Amino acid sequence: VVGVVGKAAGAALAAGTAAVAGITKEAVSAYSDFEQLEGGIETLFGDSASKVISDSKAAFESAGMSANQYMETTIESAAAMINSLGGDQAQAADMVNMSITDMADNVNKMGTDMEAVQNAYRGFSRGNFTMLDNLALGFAGTKEGMQELLDKAQELSGVEYDIDSYADIVKAIHEVQDSMGITGTTMKEASDTISGSLATMKAAWQNTLSAMGQGDMSLLSDSIDSLI
């Protein structure tokens, strides 16, 4: 009996050691990625980088994304957003946050695929509208379809939108989605649905791993809160 108990204890200890080693490896990798992405955000947004980084850490609730995922998505179209706003980095930080939240809301409300929606926005930032129908808003994936969306947004808001401005496109999509009751879906599902809660919990844990990589346990509370 003693021998069996000893073997079981040894196996448990080995499993525990392996688990700790695995988490440590993940934490170091997550923080390494965070550092690289943070550097990119600082380069692109200058004095407004802290706002973007702060938004990224809150994205586990607002968009069901980890901070790293948020910053990766931000970097993909940041230059186009900043340029379309005449170099206004502070406004660009706000607009990027709105666009990412709108992406998540679209996915959660319309049942679309996040990667497909991200690809669509990436295309919009480059003047490519072929993936507009990925958003399932009823507009064709053509330049004409995007113009129809902008015209619809103008009807709703009274504001004229320029198809050559990425910022205007993002604003117009937000206006249309808001009119369709899509806005705010991610935040609502984070607290009301199992899938939304799981996405929030997963993103919060990724943030915690990244923080652990630099010896910071302050974000552990986010992971715990997401479980409650």
Side-chain angles (χ1 to χ4, degrees), residues 32-107:
S32 176
D33 290 343
F34 179 86
E35 282 189 309
Q36 284 191 316
L37 292 165
E38 184 181 41
I41 294 296
E42 288 171 347
T43 298
L44 288 162
F45 288 91
D47 293 339
S48 297
S50 59
K51 168 70 166 56
V52 178
I53 294 168
S54 176
D55 288 339
S56 77
K57 293 178 180 179
F60 74 97
E61 286 185 309
S62 65
M65 287 184 179
S66 69
N68 285 2
Q69 291 171 322
Y70 181 99
M71 288 192 289
E72 285 172 359
T73 305
T74 296
I75 288 171
E76 288 174 352
S77 59
M81 181 67 78
I82 294 168
N83 289 336
S84 67
L85 293 168
D88 189 331
Q89 294 166 313
Q91 188 179 358
D94 289 333
M95 289 294 299
V96 164
N97 187 56
M98 184 176 77
S99 72
I100 293 177
T101 303
D102 284 343
M103 290 181 208
D105 287 344
N106 185 281
V107 169

Side-chain angles (χ1 to χ4, degrees), residues 101-110 177 182-186:
T101 303
D102 284 343
M103 290 181 208
D105 287 344
N106 185 281
V107 169
N108 285 303
K109 183 71 171 182
M110 308 302 285
Q177 291 200 163
I182 296 173
T183 304
T185 302
T186 305

Side-chain angles (χ1 to χ4, degrees), residues 106 110 132-139 149 173 176-177 180 182:
N106 185 281
M110 308 302 285
L132 175 57
D133 51 359
N134 288 0
L135 275 58
L137 298 176
F139 300 93
L149 184 149
I173 293 172
V176 170
Q177 291 200 163
M180 295 172 69
I182 296 173

